[in-house]
Amino acid sequence: MRNKPATIKEISQLLKISVSTVSRALHDHPSIGLTTRQKVRKLADELNYEPNQTAIFLQQGRTLTIGVILPELSESFFSSAISAIEDTAYKRNYTVLLAQSHDDEHIEKQLVEKMKNHRVDGLLVSVGKNTSSYQHFENLKKYNIPVVFFDRIPAMQNIHYVACNMEIGTIEAVSYLLKKGHRSIGMINGPATLFASGERKEGYIKAMTKNRLKFDPSLIVPCDLTEEGTKAAMNELLASKRKPTAVVTFNDYVALFAIKHATDLKIAVNKDLEFVSYANLPLINYMESIPSASVEQFPYLQGQKAADILLDLLWHKHQGVDEQTAYYKIIIESQLIENNRTDAGRSK
Amino acid sequence: MRNKPATIKEISQLLKISVSTVSRALHDHPSIGLTTRQKVRKLADELNYEPNQTAIFLQQGRTLTIGVILPELSESFFSSAISAIEDTAYKRNYTVLLAQSHDDEHIEKQLVEKMKNHRVDGLLVSVGKNTSSYQHFENLKKYNIPVVFFDRIPAMQNIHYVACNMEIGTIEAVSYLLKKGHRSIGMINGPATLFASGERKEGYIKAMTKNRLKFDPSLIVPCDLTEEGTKAAMNELLASKRKPTAVVTFNDYVALFAIKHATDLKIAVNKDLEFVSYANLPLINYMESIPSASVEQFPYLQGQKAADILLDLLWHKHQGVDEQTAYYKIIIESQLIENNRTDAGRSK
DNA sequence: TTTTATTACGCAAACGTTTGCATAAACTCG
DNA sequence: CGAGTTTATGCAAACGTTTGCGTAATAAAA
């Protein structure tokens, strides 16, 4: 066996028939006689023929490939999403071209360019947190390459996206704590620049007003998400007049820092001070001192929905449906999950 | 602007010159006059010309793409590896085509086939744990598509691979415990079918003999890696005649199960019973009760090395170097890392 | 038998590039 | 000023497919 894969042309020559006949035979085209069809099949098998997709891509103008650009592949949230995307793509016979931007706008731009060159049929993107200009995404529209954003959505008009609204989850979280009798609930929030911080704050406030309680702004302290910042935020909360008996933290990392700090201060976690967080980490289930509940953001689901939407768009495009002007805007509501360890694998 | 990307042909028509001239001009070929070169550049910019890679791929017979097939994308070990692979590929201008087998041999086969169709230049594979036949990989050799395996290596001859040897790390782990004064050290190992279990066992034995201590086989108990199995194993160890004062566990999951069980039994973790594990989980750093040390398996490094090797192979192949008969067999030695939480990000 | 369908296949263009070779024009030099 | 050299460009094939259209050969209908 030679090292170059067999081609249709070779088959056609060996069989002394035309390439078009071979091509059609391999596609079970009705206009090809049974005998030739069988001959072709047989020889193709013997030669281990495999269609050269790059040639087909060129011919058909599509690659059955979707590009995925994410900030950081090793983050648990994104790797869950990727897993979902790959699963969905696989089911519909698409392949995934993957790249990470490391939250660097310049790299992100390059990657979009590269994906365009590779002629991916569509793109799935979670925008880097430093990205401020969205021109590179606008360009894609001109070329009619569909893009679906998820989780981190750019501030653009007329885009498709899937995102998780933290507000409801936050309301649930705060209500959960209120129901358990807490009357002074602290929140360690993220930096004010993040959209997600706003949602959490809104949720907190709504939960309070819904329960006819006064909202004390000093109980929400921002934090830069580092261990130091978390400690500082904790100290601020603990020094507060209305010393909280429960804390909602921006994410699991912050929660762990806070819990650690509380433990150091001899505070009995979830007794003297109860914690609720947002689920970023897969194995919170395995740990001892963990938030008593978490707001789930459904990374797998987000990835899956985003991929589904993109593949639908591609399908319609391929069917020649006119430029459609409707935009998918899917909001997944976050949801509070109590952390009794018996329910496994909630993120999937 | 129209929605179809500009082509070289269009440029050539507008400028009334031949396509070859345009092509060369865009590549700064020396034989093209300065004026035409500039004209071409200008128009190309105006039209937002982007070379169609699929056409180039077809023409050049290579895709600057590497395929990556892994068992499970959402597992922390693999997502670190992926991240490394993408980083390395990006640096050398390659792109990553990604797929997961879910440890299913049949899917794995299909994926190999798909990658072959897509004409990836090379393949990076971590074999599914149920895969028993390696014919699909053998086929790749015939087509001269280089494959580099990592972490989970198939039992094949003449392959390139990168793997992590757990033996040294285990020796270090056991020696570490011995040095701390422990004389009865238990091990919760994985199922005997796993290659990795063997390495751990060997390491354990070597550490004992090296320190002129008697090896007590009853102190190594296998386990199916579930929570139940871990409990059972722990109980067996605790009931043993020479009740261990320290335990080495197969991985972090097992460690967490074991620690949880120990805590339930009111055993003071790392005081009455010290734990050492293997690093699978990224955030062991954030937790309170954790193994006092971990054997690091360097997922990022493994991914990086594997990608480097593959890209080197591709480079040589592209340079037309003859079929080389040497095979890369890289063994990364695992290494014991003490878990004082101040050193961050050790897996990267 | 002639006409009309039907069946089975081939021709050639098209997808967008790259590149070896040929060639026309301009320039150099003795 | 003609021969040789350089400079700048074009032609056409090739990469491996798919597919519209044309056309023989055969079969069915008139």
Side-chain angles (χ1 to χ4, degrees):
Chain A
M1 177 175 289
R2 63 219 168 309
N3 52 8
K4 281 293 163 201
T7 72
I8 277 194
K9 196 190 288 182
E10 288 170 12
I11 297 183
S12 80
Q13 284 166 350
L14 289 172
L15 256 39
K16 302 199 191 310
I17 57 181
S18 78
V19 287
S20 43
T21 303
V22 176
S23 172
R24 284 190 251 259
L26 291 172
H27 286 78
D28 283 322
H29 192 284
S31 83
I32 300 298
L34 183 63
T35 52
T36 33
R37 199 179 314 185
Q38 287 173 335
K39 269 196 308 190
V40 170
R41 281 226 171 291
K42 181 149 171 287
L43 185 57
D45 277 354
E46 285 172 13
L47 295 181
N48 271 304
Y49 169 76
E50 314 246 5
N52 183 333
Q53 290 289 31
T54 65
I56 300 179
F57 295 158
L58 175 59
Q59 220 280 135
Q60 313 246 310
R62 51 182 232 159
T63 57
L64 292 178
T65 299
I66 60 178
V68 178
I69 301 180
L70 301 180
E72 204 69 52
L73 300 180
S74 53
E75 270 185 29
S76 134
F77 180 89
F78 291 119
S79 67
S80 291
I82 281 255
S83 179
I85 291 168
E86 204 279 334
D87 285 345
T88 321
Y90 175 80
K91 277 186 203 131
R92 314 220 342 209
N93 203 32
Y94 271 76
T95 316
V96 171
L97 209 55
L98 183 69
Q100 59 188 337
S101 67
H102 290 299
D103 281 315
D104 178 320
E105 180 165 5
H106 181 241
I107 295 183
E108 192 177 88
K109 285 199 164 119
Q110 282 191 325
L111 291 177
V112 170
E113 205 62 19
K114 199 174 189 174
M115 296 284 181
K116 217 189 321 178
N117 284 350
H118 272 257
R119 293 298 194 267
V120 296
D121 290 344
L123 221 39
L124 245 33
V125 179
S126 199
V127 184
K129 64 179 148 204
N130 306 314
T131 302
S132 53
S133 146
Y134 304 124
Q135 192 54 50
H136 45 308
F137 297 126
E138 295 284 2
N139 287 337
L140 290 170
K141 279 203 205 165
K142 297 190 189 154
Y143 293 114
N144 205 17
I145 300 178
V147 186
V148 177
F149 295 93
F150 77 97
D151 191 51
R152 304 225 208 128
I153 315 299
M156 291 169 66
Q157 300 297 316
N158 298 334
I159 55 172
H160 306 279
Y161 65 80
V162 175
C164 193
N165 181 0
M166 297 288 108
E167 200 178 293
I168 302 273
T170 308
I171 295 178
E172 287 181 7
V174 175
S175 303
Y176 165 80
L177 291 171
L178 290 172
K179 208 167 292 165
K180 283 183 111 178
H182 296 281
R183 278 301 165 268
S184 176
I185 300 172
M187 169 175 260
I188 304 185
N189 207 358
T193 51
L194 283 187
F195 193 72
S197 301
E199 288 181 344
R200 285 161 168 76
K201 186 173 178 181
E202 280 306 310
Y204 180 102
I205 297 179
K206 284 200 183 160
M208 296 304 271
T209 54
K210 211 169 91 181
N211 288 277
R212 297 162 200 286
L213 291 171
K214 211 182 130 231
F215 160 57
D216 176 353
S218 73
L219 284 178
I220 300 189
V221 305
C223 152
D224 62 359
L225 309 182
T226 66
E227 177 155 12
E228 286 312 306
T230 305
K231 265 192 193 174
M234 271 295 279
N235 289 336
E236 190 177 334
L237 279 178
L238 293 172
S240 152
K241 265 181 200 153
R242 307 182 55 218
K243 188 172 160 186
T245 57
V247 175
V248 179
T249 58
F250 184 81
N251 66 28
D252 278 345
Y253 293 99
V254 170
L256 290 166
F257 294 141
I259 288 176
K260 197 160 122 192
H261 188 52
T263 309
D264 287 348
L265 296 175
K266 312 286 182 211
I267 297 174
V269 169
N270 290 341
K271 293 195 141 179
D272 297 347
L273 191 57
E274 183 157 4
F275 283 90
V276 169
S277 179
Y278 295 79
N280 304 81
L281 304 178
L283 55 124
I284 202 94
N285 267 323
Y286 297 97
M287 302 163 51
E288 308 155 83
S289 286
I290 57 173
S292 66
S294 290
V295 178
E296 175 59 49
Q297 321 185 38
F298 305 106
Y300 192 91
L301 190 60
Q302 280 197 53
Q304 192 178 40
K305 289 252 184 206
D308 267 335
I309 291 175
L310 182 59
L311 293 173
D312 278 350
L313 290 172
L314 293 177
W315 170 250
H316 286 132
K317 187 175 163 188
H318 186 235
Q319 295 299 301
V321 177
D322 287 357
E323 295 278 323
Q324 40 107 62
T325 91
Y327 287 91
Y328 288 88
K329 296 182 188 309
I330 307 286
I331 304 289
I332 296 173
E333 291 303 343
S334 54
Q335 186 187 326
L336 190 75
I337 309 232
E338 286 191 55
N339 284 330
N340 41 4
R341 296 133 195 264
T342 46
D343 66 322
R346 55 183 154 59
S347 68
K348 194 165 179 180
Chain B
M1 176 176 289
R2 62 221 170 309
N3 52 10
K4 280 295 160 200
T7 73
I8 276 194
K9 196 189 287 182
E10 287 169 13
I11 298 183
S12 80
Q13 284 167 349
L14 288 172
L15 257 37
K16 302 202 189 307
I17 56 180
S18 77
V19 288
S20 42
T21 303
V22 176
S23 173
R24 282 191 253 257
L26 291 171
H27 286 79
D28 284 322
H29 192 283
S31 82
I32 299 298
L34 184 62
T35 53
T36 33
R37 200 180 310 184
Q38 287 173 335
K39 270 196 307 186
V40 170
R41 280 227 171 289
K42 183 150 171 287
L43 186 57
D45 276 355
E46 286 172 14
L47 295 180
N48 271 304
Y49 169 77
E50 313 247 5
N52 184 331
Q53 290 288 30
T54 64
I56 299 180
F57 295 158
L58 175 59
Q59 219 283 136
Q60 313 247 306
R62 53 182 225 155
T63 57
L64 293 178
T65 299
I66 59 177
V68 177
I69 300 179
L70 301 180
E72 203 70 53
L73 300 181
S74 54
E75 270 184 30
S76 136
F77 180 91
F78 290 119
S79 67
S80 290
I82 282 252
S83 180
I85 291 169
E86 203 279 334
D87 285 345
T88 328
Y90 176 78
K91 279 187 203 129
R92 309 206 8 195
N93 204 31
Y94 272 75
T95 316
V96 171
L97 209 55
L98 183 69
Q100 60 188 335
S101 67
H102 290 299
D103 282 316
D104 177 320
E105 179 164 5
H106 181 241
I107 295 183
E108 192 176 89
K109 284 197 164 124
Q110 283 191 326
L111 291 177
V112 170
E113 205 63 19
K114 200 173 189 175
M115 296 282 180
K116 217 189 321 179
N117 284 351
H118 272 255
R119 293 299 195 265
V120 295
D121 290 343
L123 221 40
L124 245 32
V125 179
S126 197
V127 184
K129 65 179 144 203
N130 306 315
T131 302
S132 53
S133 147
Y134 303 122
Q135 192 54 48
H136 45 309
F137 297 125
E138 295 284 3
N139 286 338
L140 290 170
K141 280 204 208 166
K142 296 189 190 156
Y143 293 114
N144 204 17
I145 299 177
V147 186
V148 178
F149 296 93
F150 77 96
D151 191 52
R152 304 226 206 126
I153 314 299
M156 291 170 65
Q157 299 297 317
N158 299 335
I159 55 173
H160 306 279
Y161 66 80
V162 175
C164 193
N165 181 359
M166 297 290 108
E167 199 179 295
I168 303 271
T170 308
I171 295 178
E172 287 180 7
V174 175
S175 303
Y176 165 82
L177 290 170
L178 290 171
K179 207 167 294 165
K180 283 184 110 178
H182 296 281
R183 279 300 166 269
S184 176
I185 299 173
M187 170 176 258
I188 304 184
N189 207 359
T193 50
L194 285 188
F195 193 71
S197 301
E199 288 182 343
R200 284 162 169 75
K201 185 172 179 182
E202 279 307 310
Y204 181 101
I205 297 178
K206 284 200 182 157
M208 296 305 271
T209 53
K210 210 169 90 180
N211 287 278
R212 297 163 201 288
L213 291 170
K214 212 183 131 229
F215 159 57
D216 178 353
S218 74
L219 283 178
I220 300 190
V221 305
C223 153
D224 62 359
L225 310 183
T226 66
E227 178 157 10
E228 285 313 306
T230 305
K231 267 194 193 174
M234 271 295 279
N235 290 337
E236 189 176 336
L237 280 178
L238 294 172
S240 150
K241 262 181 201 152
R242 308 184 52 222
K243 188 173 162 188
T245 57
V247 175
V248 178
T249 57
F250 185 82
N251 65 27
D252 278 346
Y253 294 97
V254 170
L256 289 166
F257 294 141
I259 288 175
K260 196 161 122 193
H261 188 52
T263 310
D264 288 347
L265 297 175
K266 312 284 181 210
I267 298 175
V269 170
N270 290 341
K271 293 194 140 182
D272 297 349
L273 191 57
E274 183 158 5
F275 283 89
V276 169
S277 179
Y278 296 79
N280 303 81
L281 304 179
L283 55 125
I284 203 95
N285 267 323
Y286 297 94
M287 302 165 49
E288 307 156 84
S289 285
I290 58 174
S292 66
S294 289
V295 178
E296 175 59 50
Q297 319 186 39
F298 306 105
Y300 191 91
L301 190 61
Q302 281 198 52
Q304 191 177 42
K305 291 253 185 208
D308 267 334
I309 291 176
L310 182 59
L311 293 174
D312 278 350
L313 289 172
L314 293 177
W315 171 251
H316 287 132
K317 186 176 164 189
H318 185 235
Q319 295 300 302
V321 177
D322 286 357
E323 296 277 324
Q324 39 109 61
T325 91
Y327 287 90
Y328 288 88
K329 298 185 188 306
I330 307 285
I331 304 289
I332 296 173
E333 291 303 344
S334 54
Q335 185 186 325
L336 190 75
I337 309 232
E338 286 190 56
N339 285 330
N340 42 2
R341 295 133 196 262
T342 48
D343 66 322
R346 52 181 156 58
S347 69
K348 194 167 178 178

